[in-house]
Amino acid sequence: MQNRYLYSLRIILAAVDFVCINIAFIIAYHITVSIHYNFSADYYLQLLFVNNLLWVLNANFMHLYHKKTVYSSKLLFALRWKCGLVHLTFFAAYILITSQVKVSVALYLLFYLLLNIHLLCSQLTYRLVEPILKLKFRFKKPIALVGISETSDQLANFLRRTHARYDLKSFLDQHDCLIVNETPMSLVATCEQIKNAADNGINDVYVAVSPEKTSEIDTLLVEAHNQCVRLKLVPHFNESLPQLQRYNHISNLSVINANTEPFEEMNSRFVKRVFDLVFSALVIVFILSWLYPLLAIIIKIQSPGPVLFRQLRSGKNNREFWCYKFRSMRVNDEADHKQASRDDSRVTAIGKFMRRTSLDEFPQFFNVLLGNMSIVGPRPHMVKHTQHYRNVIDKYMVRHYLKPGITGWAQVNGFRGETRETESMAKRVEHDIWYLENWSVSLDLRIIFYTVANIFKSEQNAF
């Protein structure tokens, strides 16, 4: 999984360069005009367009803002100067084949003087703040390797050479659990190592595995799912494992992802986060701004206590967070462990209406804005239920690979409300995993549409 901080840094660097290049061009134009070089606005706009087009093309051709470039500040700034030189050359060629050369040359020289000042100042600034950024943010992706073998040695050596990108936490164990040790404890020890990685905040674990040990993969997957760890399998001697189809390559090794997950790609996470921010901001400004005080008054009139109900729920990677709702029940001591049921005496009159129309969930748009939740995703469960079902339902913890949502694929398919039977919860989990593996923007829009439609009709499980 890619690093969100480095992804953000790429966008920020590209945006800063683009804005500063245009500012430099505009300043150069006004200085040129002020010394009595007059040329048409059309010609100025033409030069501005060519200036931007050349920079964008050069930056893309040289991979200036590529994810591999930003790992090395030395490479990044070397490419920026090279990009500026190529830009200078092609812009000069364009000016030579157009009219008003005298005016264009004056603008050209001033622009490149300002551009060089920008490149120099930004390089000095970045070098000053880079140590602070690395201390404050996790630029390296923490990973762990389990098992010692020829392939894991190769992988470890590669990761050490590219230490700027990966934080190799070390081999969790100094013996070969899957390849050498034939005792019954070898598999147990490996599972314990995966748990140890999760306890240390590591979400990606690479396991060296040989073909003769493929029968143990299912057990490892169960443990990885239960610990919210993404398992990467490194086949011994680069042999393939037929039942798992998704391959990546690190150095000259094939690495098999045990799960298919669109959110492994940073682009997908970025698009979803932007959508969440825009959508939640619109709802808060245009709906909650008047709905909140209205419901607050009614809630207070019908039952003493706070307007909002907050409860610890299980979030992404099983991290707990405070989930907010409009209080739909009378204040009681059972709220943290007992689900609402049909004809529940704790639910107030306005609470029944809010629960039937899902209005009680609207404060969760603040959770979305804070980054704890998403608009669409698996519904967050009480911590007690997570602790129970993770040991009962296969792949239950896989639903925690992504942020919980206000609504989800399971909910629009009828799996909402109280879950008295394990089979009902298992079906909900099945739908959540399907959503995780098949996510797209269009799917999110479909789920939102179905959710809004369900508000206007009575759902059997909405109580």
Side-chain angles (χ1 to χ4, degrees), residues 288-415:
L288 269 176
S289 58
W290 58 266
L291 182 65
Y292 189 106
L294 179 63
L295 289 177
I297 293 171
I298 300 174
I299 291 169
K300 282 287 190 180
I301 291 173
Q302 292 197 354
S303 169
V307 172
L308 293 181
F309 169 74
R310 73 169 193 166
Q311 187 177 62
L312 275 177
R313 299 287 179 101
S314 301
K316 183 179 178 181
N317 294 325
N318 201 28
R319 295 191 184 97
E320 296 176 3
F321 72 99
W322 289 107
C323 181
Y324 294 95
K325 303 176 70 172
F326 282 121
R327 184 171 58 85
S328 59
M329 295 183 177
R330 295 175 180 83
V331 176
N332 64 92
D333 297 328
E334 300 178 308
D336 287 331
H337 59 269
K338 182 180 178 181
Q339 287 182 306
S341 57
R342 191 177 300 278
D343 300 322
D344 197 316
S345 60
R346 298 173 297 168
V347 180
T348 62
I350 186 60
K352 291 178 181 179
F353 174 77
M354 289 192 299
R355 297 177 76 91
R356 188 170 60 251
T357 57
S358 298
L359 289 178
D360 60 323
E361 312 286 0
F362 268 60
Q364 289 165 30
F365 285 103
F366 291 109
N367 283 117
V368 175
L369 211 58
L370 292 171
N372 299 320
M373 293 180 64
S374 181
I375 302 296
V376 181
R379 287 293 297 152
H381 292 164
M382 288 187 287
V383 174
K384 178 184 176 181
H385 290 159
T386 299
Q387 293 170 349
H388 170 70
Y389 286 116
R390 71 185 301 172
N391 299 313
V392 175
I393 299 175
D394 185 34
K395 296 185 178 181
Y396 177 85
M397 296 303 290
V398 174
R399 68 195 302 276
H400 295 90
Y401 281 0
L402 73 164
K403 292 179 183 179
I406 298 176
T407 185
W409 182 242
Q411 282 63 48
V412 298
N413 280 278
F415 297 99

Side-chain angles (χ1 to χ4, degrees), residues 171-382:
F171 293 89
L172 295 182
D173 193 271
Q174 294 304 310
H175 67 274
D176 187 358
C177 292
L178 290 180
I179 297 174
V180 176
N181 192 344
E182 297 294 336
T183 66
M185 289 299 293
S186 62
L187 182 60
V188 175
T190 305
C191 291
E192 186 63 30
Q193 292 168 338
I194 293 173
K195 183 178 185 301
N196 185 34
D199 291 341
N200 284 278
I202 301 172
N203 296 323
D204 292 87
V205 175
Y206 291 76
V207 177
V209 59
S210 60
E212 63 268 19
K213 290 290 183 177
T214 55
S215 60
E216 297 180 349
I217 291 176
D218 288 341
T219 304
L220 294 178
L221 286 175
V222 170
E223 183 62 28
H225 292 156
N226 200 38
Q227 299 299 333
C228 277
V229 165
R230 292 169 176 83
L231 198 64
K232 318 287 185 179
L233 303 173
V234 186
H236 190 43
F237 297 123
N238 235 13
E239 294 188 29
S240 62
L241 302 177
Q243 69 268 41
L244 299 167
Q245 301 298 325
R246 191 176 180 190
Y247 287 79
N248 285 329
H249 289 87
I250 295 181
S251 186
N252 62 340
L253 294 172
S254 293
V255 177
I256 304 168
N257 290 343
N259 295 95
T260 301
E261 185 182 347
F263 294 110
E264 283 275 319
E265 297 298 326
M266 188 63 222
N267 287 338
S268 298
R269 303 205 301 276
F270 176 77
V271 169
K272 188 169 179 62
R273 182 57 180 154
V274 170
F275 177 82
D276 286 343
L277 288 173
V278 173
F279 195 96
S280 58
L282 291 174
V283 170
I284 290 170
V285 171
F286 294 106
I287 299 178
L288 269 176
S289 58
W290 58 266
L291 182 65
Y292 189 106
L294 179 63
L295 289 177
I297 293 171
I298 300 174
I299 291 169
K300 282 287 190 180
I301 291 173
Q302 292 197 354
S303 169
V307 172
L308 293 181
F309 169 74
R310 73 169 193 166
Q311 187 177 62
L312 275 177
R313 299 287 179 101
S314 301
K316 183 179 178 181
N317 294 325
N318 201 28
R319 295 191 184 97
E320 296 176 3
F321 72 99
W322 289 107
C323 181
Y324 294 95
K325 303 176 70 172
F326 282 121
R327 184 171 58 85
S328 59
M329 295 183 177
R330 295 175 180 83
V331 176
N332 64 92
D333 297 328
E334 300 178 308
D336 287 331
H337 59 269
K338 182 180 178 181
Q339 287 182 306
S341 57
R342 191 177 300 278
D343 300 322
D344 197 316
S345 60
R346 298 173 297 168
V347 180
T348 62
I350 186 60
K352 291 178 181 179
F353 174 77
M354 289 192 299
R355 297 177 76 91
R356 188 170 60 251
T357 57
S358 298
L359 289 178
D360 60 323
E361 312 286 0
F362 268 60
Q364 289 165 30
F365 285 103
F366 291 109
N367 283 117
V368 175
L369 211 58
L370 292 171
N372 299 320
M373 293 180 64
S374 181
I375 302 296
V376 181
R379 287 293 297 152
H381 292 164
M382 288 187 287

Side-chain angles (χ1 to χ4, degrees), residues 102-119:
K102 183 179 178 181
V103 177
S104 299
V105 168
L107 176 63
Y108 173 84
L109 294 175
L110 281 169
F111 169 66
Y112 278 102
L113 174 63
L114 295 171
L115 177 60
N116 286 332
I117 291 173
H118 159 64
L119 293 176

